Amino acid sequence: MATSSVSASPSPSPSPSTITSIFLLFSVLAAEYGFLQGVATLGINYGQVANNLPSPDRVLTLLATLSITKTRIYDTNPQVLAAFANSGIEVIITVPDDLVSTVMEPQQAIQWVATHVKPYFPSTKITGIEIGNEVFTSNDAALMSNLVPAMTSIHNALVQLGLDSSIHVSTANSLAVLTNSFPPSAGVFRDDLASVIKPFLQFLASTKSPFWINAYPFFSYKDDPTSISLDYVLFKPNSGMVDPYTKLHYDNMLYAQVDAVIFAISKMGFGGLEVKVAETGWPSKGDPDEVGATIENAEAYNRNLLQRQAVSEGTPLRPSQKLDVYLFALFNENMKPGATSERNYGLYEPDGTMAYNLGLRALSTSPGAIATVSLTSSATKVLH
């Protein structure tokens, strides 16, 4: 279970009105560049693997002034859920990997929902529960086999408590669940996952829940920068590629990856499932071997993605269905393990300044401009 501790920052902090003014200034400048139009149409991942983040009420101020209406957290942090009450912001919460086996038991699932959902809903607009994260590529056979039973128990608990019509149950998957993703029509699930993927898809179909995918074109480019066009992965003008079997034209990798997942699902007999992007983003800093992890590329990827979201664009395979996307992430998180890039996906620094210029004039706040708390999630697993 996720735990959190709270301690006041030793840095002096201004009044809430000062903080609101700072974020409103961001908002006004953003609107001038059309930034808000794109931001308002997508969700954002609010990771908390850090010890220097703003308090949840300050985060709410930021999201509100940017008109962001959807967010996802990797636990059930009570401070966040309480702070977001009556805000109208949709929140997806998470059962961490280490609790999946526990909530398999029906009574434990009811207890979990009664403790972590019912006290906050509907004041806090919880719209989804993710069971674990990237479970099918965890190499943990027990965790993989327990996933669907846990999802079933949580869903049944929602039914029993009368919450199932408002809250879906699913899980986010790594693109590595596919054996092949290029061209998109060749998308297919790994043979070794067939026995666990099929019942998972059956559950999603029966509960009308979405298939969530974590898709990062950055990783593909990093691994093969000489063969993959940077313009193609950054949504910049390029000749793109044509799927030789469907003749569909792709001008960016993200849409190709999503359509590969759709094709893989269809080949399993579940073509009606909606695919949504749980995570995508680009790091502004990386290790020497992380080719492409720069401020310029992060700015280009996220800005161009926001422009696509602003016009409710779909993928070539499903052009009339807007692709729901949750950007990773709101903040740089200083306690995430792994490569340098893992700590540098954020749009914002913990002090509320932008990590890079995403269509905004450069602004800065003085040290301690936002009161900080220690808010460390137990979800320290590398999420990509």
Side-chain angles (χ1 to χ4, degrees):
M1 183 178 296
T3 58
S4 61
S5 59
V6 181
S7 60
S9 167
S11 302
S13 60
S15 66
S17 62
T18 301
I19 297 165
T20 301
S21 296
I22 292 169
F23 286 143
L24 281 174
L25 184 54
F26 272 118
S27 179
V28 169
L29 291 172
E32 181 180 348
Y33 288 91
F35 176 76
L36 280 183
Q37 184 181 7
V39 173
T41 61
L42 89 165
I44 196 152
N45 286 278
Y46 172 18
Q48 304 156 53
V49 188
N51 61 6
N52 59 351
L53 296 180
S55 60
D57 61 320
R58 300 295 189 254
V59 173
L60 178 60
T61 299
L62 174 58
L63 297 181
T65 54
L66 290 176
S67 298
I68 290 175
T69 59
K70 297 181 291 186
T71 191
R72 174 180 174 231
I73 60 176
Y74 293 87
D75 50 24
T76 55
N77 190 300
Q79 296 169 357
V80 174
L81 295 179
F84 281 38
N86 303 310
S87 67
I89 293 177
E90 297 179 9
V91 182
I92 294 175
I93 60 177
T94 305
V95 175
D97 289 357
D98 59 3
L99 282 183
V100 170
S101 61
T102 300
V103 299
M104 282 178 58
E105 300 298 326
Q107 285 305 120
Q108 291 291 337
I110 292 172
Q111 180 62 41
W112 189 92
V113 173
T115 301
H116 299 288
V117 178
K118 196 168 177 58
Y120 304 100
F121 184 88
S123 296
T124 299
K125 198 174 181 180
I126 299 171
T127 58
I129 301 174
E130 301 294 291
I131 312 298
N133 189 63
E134 299 190 346
V135 168
F136 291 130
T137 50
S138 66
N139 295 319
D140 184 331
L143 180 61
M144 287 189 276
S145 64
N146 291 343
L147 179 63
V148 173
M151 294 173 71
T152 301
S153 291
I154 290 291
H155 175 72
N156 289 341
L158 291 172
V159 171
Q160 185 168 331
L161 295 172
L163 303 175
D164 58 299
S165 63
S166 302
I167 303 172
H168 77 260
V169 178
S170 188
T171 192
N173 299 281
S174 163
L175 196 67
V177 295
L178 302 185
T179 297
N180 189 33
S181 62
F182 183 84
S185 60
V188 64
F189 288 110
R190 287 166 32 187
D191 289 341
D192 62 308
L193 295 179
S195 63
V196 287
I197 287 289
K198 187 166 185 179
F200 169 59
L201 297 177
Q202 288 173 330
F203 172 86
L204 296 183
S206 66
T207 60
K208 297 180 172 57
S209 299
F211 185 106
W212 291 97
I213 189 72
N214 296 342
Y216 287 89
F218 164 69
F219 293 123
S220 297
Y221 178 76
K222 174 181 70 72
D223 293 341
D224 193 7
T226 58
S227 300
I228 296 175
S229 164
L230 184 60
D231 288 345
Y232 178 65
V233 294
L234 295 180
F235 299 94
K236 289 184 175 182
N238 67 95
S239 59
M241 58 82 65
V242 175
D243 188 305
Y245 302 102
T246 63
K247 307 304 179 185
L248 293 174
H249 178 262
Y250 292 84
D251 65 357
N252 70 86
M253 181 176 284
L254 178 65
Y255 289 3
Q257 291 177 335
V258 171
D259 278 356
V261 174
I262 295 173
F263 272 108
I265 292 172
S266 296
K267 291 170 186 176
M268 295 286 286
F270 298 91
L273 291 181
E274 183 175 4
V275 174
K276 301 185 179 185
V277 178
E279 294 180 16
T280 192
W282 198 284
S284 58
K285 186 187 300 183
D287 293 323
D289 63 343
E290 293 188 290
V291 180
T294 67
I295 287 177
E296 294 76 15
N297 289 342
E299 177 186 337
Y301 184 85
N302 289 321
R303 184 202 302 261
N304 293 333
L305 175 58
L306 290 176
Q307 291 175 347
R308 300 292 183 113
Q309 286 283 290
V311 296
S312 299
E313 198 169 65
T315 67
L317 187 59
R318 292 180 174 174
S320 61
Q321 183 178 71
K322 177 186 175 293
L323 178 64
D324 278 353
V325 174
Y326 279 66
L327 195 65
F328 191 88
L330 185 57
F331 293 108
N332 284 334
E333 300 170 69
N334 69 341
M335 294 180 67
K336 289 195 70 177
T340 296
S341 63
E342 289 292 328
R343 293 176 289 282
N344 289 279
Y345 275 89
L347 295 181
Y348 283 86
E349 300 290 354
D351 67 358
T353 58
M354 294 208 75
Y356 44 85
N357 187 355
L358 199 61
L360 302 176
R361 189 185 312 164
L363 291 176
S364 63
T365 57
S366 59
I370 298 179
T372 61
V373 296
S374 175
L375 190 59
T376 307
S377 167
S378 65
T380 56
K381 171 186 173 183
V382 177
L383 299 172
H384 317 305

